[in-house]
């Protein structure tokens, strides 16, 4: 018996001596990895070196796992790992690790823009079962880094759980736990949050990536997250900063998810770095159960379905200034801002999809997340290569699509403004170089402005107490559109080039601009797209605004002041038939060659119907006048009368987008008298 025991022991020793070299050789040669990585586009496992001393226990260096599903990819690296492998399961195409312990771990979850290729299968070839990768127990220490799209979590944490992956068919995570007592959340080199105490518990699946691709995997997630930490920077506040010294903000999160849906009681509170005692920005997100204690029904009335949970979001900010570049003033300055909204969407998948769609600017891809917005002390100075807008808004309220802000879109419905000054100029700067930043798109619907102090467009400025309304939009490409624009001003003034042109001005305006690309080289197109009507009453301080339309009659000039009325219609940049301007003034001056007629008169400019097309007629009628030689300003008028008529007629309607047309001008003198013939002595020869 002793002899048999001795022989058995020798046989075991010999088998071990032979088996260990074979196993260690297999662990460090390509055939084993090639067998495990039959579909590397879906799952890959590799290591830099491995050895085995006790059968079943494998020590690994440089372990790396990679898994891809639809548009996402996950990977994990460990400096050192020890695993207890079920060797018999390998014969069943299963890599089962009863226990995996690792150190120095880094993990990454990333988005992929390319879809997974499908491997062609020969016709008639039997379908082979894929490898299964089962990790019954995972314990990872010194977890150094977890990467997510655009974010990086660093620290020294631990992870535990259970994992099953069947490439392309099944993913399951059970009992996953993550703890990081002192972590940092980074975006690039910037530290967003520090001193972060993070605890995560999660269950995922089982789910099939092929049947639930992309964001569908969120519906199989159940777990919780708690976080407490210090906020050092926020991407929004990094671009929209407050003046003064900064102190850290705070982060508090308690989130619970059941099969991809946020549960009531989930809370996220965030305060941004700020100055003084109060923070510059405070954000609160809460999931409520949709019911309140006051609405509790008696037991007999409990047949009605319970209200669905809802997501409440609120943001309060003050002293914001954003878009500052070098020594230039900030694009946006806000004294105070408040945003609040509720949403019935509590699915993580729906919220992530909405954020992605808005960031890509995919209109209609997701319902807008409208927030009630209120702000005071808003100042906008928005230069671009297409349009320069300057605005001062005392108070405003409306509903803002907060999701659209992620895609550089400002969309506001029902914008109500109290107290405003607005100026628009076509840009004269060259377009920004590529990569200089994506231009913003703006859409304002249902705009109502009360106490409008000033509206300036180019060299024209309307100043006074007014009200306005309309709809305005400009997209990323610079396509401008204005609809249903109205302006009502009972009393004000008109400045042209900084000089007063009209006073005691009453204005009623309706205008629209059809979709048109704006920009410094597109003034002609912008004018062509403009149509509207205007009614004006007031006193004109100077008739100098007629000078550009008399360029083709250099021998004729008109000046003066008086009361005027105007009813104007513009159709695609051209004055329409029926447009009329009338000025009754005293004195009115008309320059005819080297003579000047001065007196009380009436000026009329009208677009009248013609045999083929409308024409523009300018008529000046003097009730009484005196005609003097402007080369001899001290000399008395050499002609007086009561019937001087000056007319200048253009064959077309005045076109705001084209040069002034030729005029046919006539001068009629119905009645006149010569007070002193001696004034003509200078015209007679000396002989």
């Amino acid at each position: 018996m002793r002899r048999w025991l001795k022989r058995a022991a020798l046989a075991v020793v010999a088998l071990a001596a032979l088996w260990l070299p074979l196993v260690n050789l297999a662990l460090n040669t390509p055939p084993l990895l090639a067998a495990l990585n039959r579909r590397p586009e879906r799952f890959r496992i590799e290591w830099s070196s491995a050895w085995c001393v006790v059968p079943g226990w494998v020590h690994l260096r440089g372990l790396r796992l990679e898994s891809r599903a639809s548009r996402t990819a996950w990977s994990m690296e460990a400096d050192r790992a020890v695993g207890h492998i079920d060797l018999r399961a390998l014969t069943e195409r299963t890599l089962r690790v009863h226990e995996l312990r690792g150190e120095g771990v880094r993990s990454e979850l990333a988005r992929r823009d390319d879809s997974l290729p499908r491997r062609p299968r020969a016709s008639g070839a039997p379908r082979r079962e894929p490898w299964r990768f089962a990790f019954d127990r995972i314990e990872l220490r010194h977890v150094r880094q977890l990467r997510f799209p655009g974010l990086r979590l660093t620290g020294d944490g631990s992870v535990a759980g259970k994992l099953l992956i069947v490439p392309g068919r099944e993913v399951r995570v059970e009992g996953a736990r993550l703890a990081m007592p002192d972590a940092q959340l980074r975006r690039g080199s910037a530290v967003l949050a520090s001193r972060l105490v993070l605890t995560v518990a999660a269950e995922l699946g089982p789910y099939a990536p092929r049947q639930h691709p992309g964001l569908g995997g969120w519906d199989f997630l159940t777990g919780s997250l708690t976080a407490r930490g210090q906020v050092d920077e926020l991407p929004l506040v990094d671009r929209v900063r407050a003046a003064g010294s900064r102190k850290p903000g705070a982060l508090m999160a308690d989130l619970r998810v059941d099969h991809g849906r946020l549960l009531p009681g989930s809370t996220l509170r965030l305060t941004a770095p700020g100055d003084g005692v109060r923070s510059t920005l405070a954000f609160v997100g809460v999931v409520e159960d949709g019911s309140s204690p006051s609405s509790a029904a008696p037991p007999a009335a409990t047949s009605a379905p319970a209200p669905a949970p809802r997501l409440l979001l609120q943001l309060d900010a003050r002293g914001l200034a954003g878009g500052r570049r070098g020594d230039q003033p900030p694009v946006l300055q806000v004294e105070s801002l408040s945003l609040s909204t509720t949403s019935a969407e509590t699915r993580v998948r729906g919220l992530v999809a909405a954020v992605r769609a808005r960031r890509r600017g995919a209109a209609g891809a997701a319902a807008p997340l409208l927030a009630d917005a209120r702000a005071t002390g808003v100042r906008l100075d928005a230069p671009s290569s297409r349009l320069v807008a300057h605005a001062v808004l005392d108070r405003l309220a409306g509903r803002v699509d907060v999701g659209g802000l992620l895609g550089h879109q400002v969309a506001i419905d029902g914008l109500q403004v109290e107290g405003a000054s607005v100026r628009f100029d076509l840009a004269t700067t060259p377009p920004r170089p590529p990569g200089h930043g994506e231009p913003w798109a703006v859409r304002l619907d249902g705009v109502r402005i009360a106490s409008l102090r000033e509206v300036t467009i180019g060299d024209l400025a309307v100043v006074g107490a007014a009200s306005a309304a309309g709809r305005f939009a400009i997209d990323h490409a610079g396509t401008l559109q204005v609809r249903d624009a109205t302006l009502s001003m009972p009393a004000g003034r008109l400045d042209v080039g900084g000089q007063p042109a009209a006073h005691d001005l009453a204005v009623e305006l309706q205008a629209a601009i059809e979709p048109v690309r704006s920009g410094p080289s597109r003034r002609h197109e912008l004018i062509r797209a403009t149509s509207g009507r205007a009614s004006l009453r007031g006193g004109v301080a100077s008739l100098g605004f007629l000078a550009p339309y008399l360029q083709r009659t250099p021998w004729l000039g008109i000046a003066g002041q008086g009361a005027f009325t105007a009813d104007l219609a513009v159709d695609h940049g051209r004055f329409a038939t029926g447009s009329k301007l009338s000025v009754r003034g005293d004195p009115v001056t008309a320059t005819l060659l080297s003579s000047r007629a001065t007196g009380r008169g009436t000026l009329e400019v009208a677009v009248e119907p013609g045999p083929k097309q409308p024409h523009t007629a300018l008529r000046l009628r003097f009730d009484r006048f005196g005609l003097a030689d402007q080369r001899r300003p001290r000399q008395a008028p050499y002609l007086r009368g009561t019937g001087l008529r000056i007319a200048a007629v253009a064959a077309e309607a005045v076109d705001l987008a084209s040069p002034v047309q030729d005029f046919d001008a006539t001068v009629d003198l119905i009645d006149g008298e010569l007070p002193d013939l001696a004034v003509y002595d200078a015209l007679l020869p000396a002989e």
Side-chain angles (χ1 to χ4, degrees):
M1 184 67 180
R2 184 177 298 176
R3 180 181 301 175
W4 283 105
L5 290 175
K6 185 176 180 180
R7 290 179 179 178
L10 291 174
V12 169
V13 172
L15 181 61
L18 179 62
W19 181 83
L20 288 176
L22 291 177
V23 169
N24 283 276
L25 180 63
L27 289 173
N28 293 278
T29 51
L32 177 60
L33 288 176
L36 295 176
N37 298 318
R38 294 297 298 269
R39 305 200 66 180
E41 72 278 2
R42 294 191 178 273
F43 183 83
R44 174 187 290 271
I45 181 171
E46 58 186 10
W47 52 82
S48 58
S49 63
W51 67 93
C52 176
V53 178
V54 178
W57 286 92
V58 178
H59 298 256
L60 303 170
R61 295 272 186 176
L63 174 64
R64 179 176 178 84
L65 302 176
E66 295 181 2
S67 177
R68 289 186 58 185
S70 185
R71 300 287 184 177
T72 60
W74 169 80
S75 65
M76 185 193 77
E77 296 180 0
D79 296 337
R80 295 173 297 279
V82 178
H84 184 199
I85 300 177
D86 186 345
L87 300 178
R88 290 178 298 178
L90 294 174
T91 60
E92 301 174 357
R93 300 178 62 81
T94 298
L95 175 61
R96 178 172 295 278
V97 181
H98 294 298
E99 182 177 354
L100 176 65
R101 301 192 299 269
E103 295 183 356
V105 179
R106 296 164 299 281
S107 180
E108 179 177 2
L109 181 67
R111 289 194 301 266
R112 298 295 185 187
D113 295 330
D114 55 332
S115 58
L116 287 172
R118 291 188 174 273
R119 178 181 296 180
R121 183 166 61 94
S123 59
R127 179 183 294 272
R128 298 187 63 184
E129 287 296 320
W131 275 82
R132 297 169 58 88
F133 299 87
F135 300 85
D136 297 337
R137 181 182 178 186
I138 300 176
E139 292 183 1
L140 305 177
R141 298 186 303 166
H142 304 304
V143 177
R144 305 296 188 189
Q145 178 175 278
L146 302 176
R147 294 182 69 98
F148 306 93
L151 298 173
R152 183 161 50 102
L153 187 67
T154 61
D156 189 355
S158 61
V159 171
K162 181 178 180 179
L163 174 65
L164 171 66
I165 298 177
V166 181
R169 296 193 180 185
E170 183 180 357
V171 175
R172 181 187 301 179
V173 177
E174 297 179 358
R177 298 290 185 273
L178 166 66
M180 299 190 81
D182 187 8
Q184 286 187 341
L185 183 64
R186 297 173 175 266
R187 182 182 182 184
S189 60
V191 178
L192 304 183
S194 60
R195 300 180 181 178
L196 194 61
V197 180
L198 180 66
T199 303
V200 179
E203 303 274 344
L204 179 64
Y207 89 100
R210 289 182 181 177
Q211 282 129 20
H212 307 278
L215 297 176
W218 285 102
D219 293 342
F220 298 86
L221 175 66
T222 298
S224 63
L225 179 149
T226 61
R228 301 288 187 275
Q230 169 181 297
V231 176
D232 299 278
E233 286 191 20
L234 279 180
L236 174 64
V237 181
D238 189 42
R239 294 188 294 268
V240 183
R241 291 182 178 271
S245 59
R246 285 160 50 91
K247 74 169 199 175
L251 169 66
M252 294 181 291
D254 290 288
L255 305 178
R256 290 183 295 131
V257 179
D258 184 16
H259 291 87
R261 194 177 294 273
L262 289 168
L263 295 178
S266 296
T267 304
L268 173 63
R269 299 181 184 275
L270 181 70
T271 58
D275 60 308
V277 178
R278 296 176 55 194
S279 172
T280 302
L281 182 147
F283 172 81
V284 178
V286 179
V287 179
E288 294 186 345
D289 59 6
S291 62
S292 60
S294 60
S295 62
T302 57
S303 58
R310 57 180 183 170
L311 175 64
L312 279 70
L313 304 175
Q314 184 170 355
L315 181 143
D316 291 291
R318 64 181 183 85
L320 300 179
R324 190 187 302 274
R325 292 178 180 171
D327 297 333
Q328 299 297 319
V331 172
L332 178 67
Q333 300 178 67
V334 182
E335 289 182 4
S336 67
L337 172 66
S338 174
L339 295 172
S340 61
T341 185
T342 61
S343 173
E345 180 62 87
T346 59
R347 298 172 305 155
V348 178
R349 171 170 59 122
L351 295 172
V352 174
V355 169
R356 287 186 181 179
R358 292 296 172 180
R359 183 169 293 169
R360 294 193 302 265
L369 184 61
L370 297 179
D372 293 322
R374 295 184 179 277
T376 63
V378 179
R379 181 181 179 88
L380 178 69
D381 295 281
S384 72
S385 61
R386 304 182 179 100
L387 195 69
V388 182
H390 306 273
V392 176
L393 312 177
D394 298 343
R395 291 174 297 278
L396 65 83
R399 293 179 63 79
V400 181
D401 181 5
V402 293
L405 299 176
L406 300 172
H408 282 213
Q409 301 179 65
V410 177
I412 306 178
D413 292 330
L415 177 61
Q416 307 289 319
V417 179
E418 179 70 28
S421 300
V422 183
R423 187 172 85 250
F424 293 100
D425 295 311
L426 289 176
T428 57
T429 57
R432 293 179 298 177
H436 195 68
E438 179 186 358
W440 283 73
V442 179
R443 179 182 60 80
L444 307 177
D445 283 338
V447 180
R448 294 287 185 274
I449 304 177
S451 301
L452 180 60
R453 295 182 293 269
E454 178 179 348
V455 177
T456 303
I457 303 176
D459 292 334
L460 300 178
V462 180
V463 183
S467 61
R471 292 183 285 177
F472 170 89
I474 183 169
D475 63 15
H476 295 293
T479 300
L480 172 69
Q481 183 177 19
V482 178
R483 294 178 292 170
D484 306 325
T486 62
L487 173 68
S488 178
M489 176 182 289
R493 75 171 192 270
L494 174 67
D495 295 343
V496 179
Q499 299 297 322
H503 55 86
D504 298 325
L505 182 64
V507 180
E508 296 292 335
L509 171 69
Q510 299 176 349
I513 300 177
E514 297 177 354
V516 60
R517 287 288 297 274
S518 60
S521 62
R522 297 181 177 271
R523 297 174 185 269
H524 180 92
E525 292 85 348
L526 181 61
I527 294 174
R528 277 278 179 262
T530 303
S531 301
R533 303 186 67 87
S535 174
L536 303 96
R537 304 288 186 274
V540 63
S542 172
L543 293 175
F545 66 90
L546 294 173
Y549 302 100
L550 299 175
Q551 293 177 359
R552 298 300 182 93
T553 57
W555 53 269
L556 175 63
I558 299 175
Q561 58 186 9
F564 82 99
T565 62
D567 292 289
L568 308 175
V570 176
D571 185 8
H572 294 87
R574 189 188 298 271
F575 282 103
T577 301
S579 297
K580 185 177 181 180
L581 168 68
S582 177
V583 180
R584 177 73 175 173
D586 186 9
V588 174
T589 301
T591 301
L592 302 171
L593 298 177
S594 60
S595 298
R596 177 183 294 111
T598 304
R600 184 176 66 249
T602 301
L603 170 71
E604 290 185 354
V605 182
V607 179
E608 302 172 341
K612 295 183 179 180
Q613 61 183 2
H615 61 263
T616 303
L618 181 150
R619 297 183 179 92
L620 177 59
R621 181 181 68 253
F622 282 95
D623 298 336
R624 291 196 59 83
F625 72 95
L627 195 63
D629 188 349
Q630 62 178 352
R631 295 172 301 182
R632 296 174 174 83
R634 296 183 180 180
Q635 192 176 59
Y638 62 84
L639 180 65
R640 294 189 180 96
T642 58
L644 179 61
R645 303 288 187 267
I646 301 174
V649 179
E652 300 178 357
V654 174
D655 190 343
L656 299 175
S658 300
V660 179
Q661 307 95 333
D662 289 332
F663 280 91
D664 292 331
T666 59
V667 179
D668 292 331
L669 177 59
I670 299 176
D671 182 22
E673 61 181 14
L674 299 175
D676 185 3
L677 292 176
V679 297
Y680 292 96
D681 285 345
L683 303 178
L684 300 176
E687 297 83 8

